[in-house]
Amino acid sequence: MPRAILICLLMLASACTGDETLSAFGAADKTWRLSSIDNAAFPAIARLAFPEPGKITGHTPCNSFQGAQTAPYPWFSAEALTVTRAACPELALETEFLQSLQKMTLAEVSGDVLILSNGQGREMLFTAGG
């Protein structure tokens, strides 16, 4: 009996120190391609990834970016984003993507679908792959 209690305590302690971010709840090990913002198809390529706990990386139509995402699931927060500074014809779409991303506060992962949203009714829909 004491051995079973010890095992349970060790399992509980390791669970408390584990990753509680989006990457631990189905978002890791996938590249997420933006499909739409606020139900409007996104006409360029933008990608998002969670390469390790607390990290966010991606590619906008023009540049790449990285930052932190440390909010516990189902919360979302794209923090301290650093973006490369190449110019391209789709710079306005890049701005729309990054501004929308920083306004998202909730996340939901269901298989190959990632939905980021906020309390104002805004939404970004991503699909895995591509």
Side-chain angles (χ1 to χ4, degrees):
M1 179 78 152
R3 183 175 163 173
I5 292 172
L6 180 61
I7 291 172
C8 288
L9 289 174
L10 289 173
M11 288 174 46
L12 183 60
S14 66
C16 291
T17 60
D19 179 21
E20 294 182 13
T21 67
L22 183 58
S23 49
F25 289 86
D29 302 323
K30 294 181 182 180
T31 299
W32 299 94
R33 183 174 176 168
L34 180 63
S35 297
S36 64
I37 296 177
D38 300 330
N39 295 315
F42 193 72
I45 295 174
R47 293 186 176 94
L48 188 62
F50 303 90
E52 61 185 77
K55 302 286 182 186
I56 185 174
T57 62
H59 295 277
T60 68
C62 301
N63 292 285
S64 60
F65 68 92
Q66 63 182 4
Q69 198 303 109
T70 57
Y73 188 78
W75 308 110
F76 178 84
S77 178
E79 307 162 359
L81 294 182
T82 57
V83 184
T84 57
R85 300 215 178 251
C88 79
E90 297 172 321
L91 203 51
L93 291 172
E94 171 179 282
T95 300
E96 179 185 5
F97 170 76
L98 290 171
Q99 287 179 347
S100 295
L101 185 66
Q102 291 177 340
K103 291 178 181 173
M104 299 298 115
T105 58
L106 292 169
E108 180 182 344
V109 178
S110 181
D112 287 341
V113 175
L114 167 65
I115 300 171
L116 301 180
S117 61
N118 66 24
Q120 290 75 43
R122 307 252 357 247
E123 181 180 279
M124 298 176 82
L125 176 67
F126 295 83
T127 55

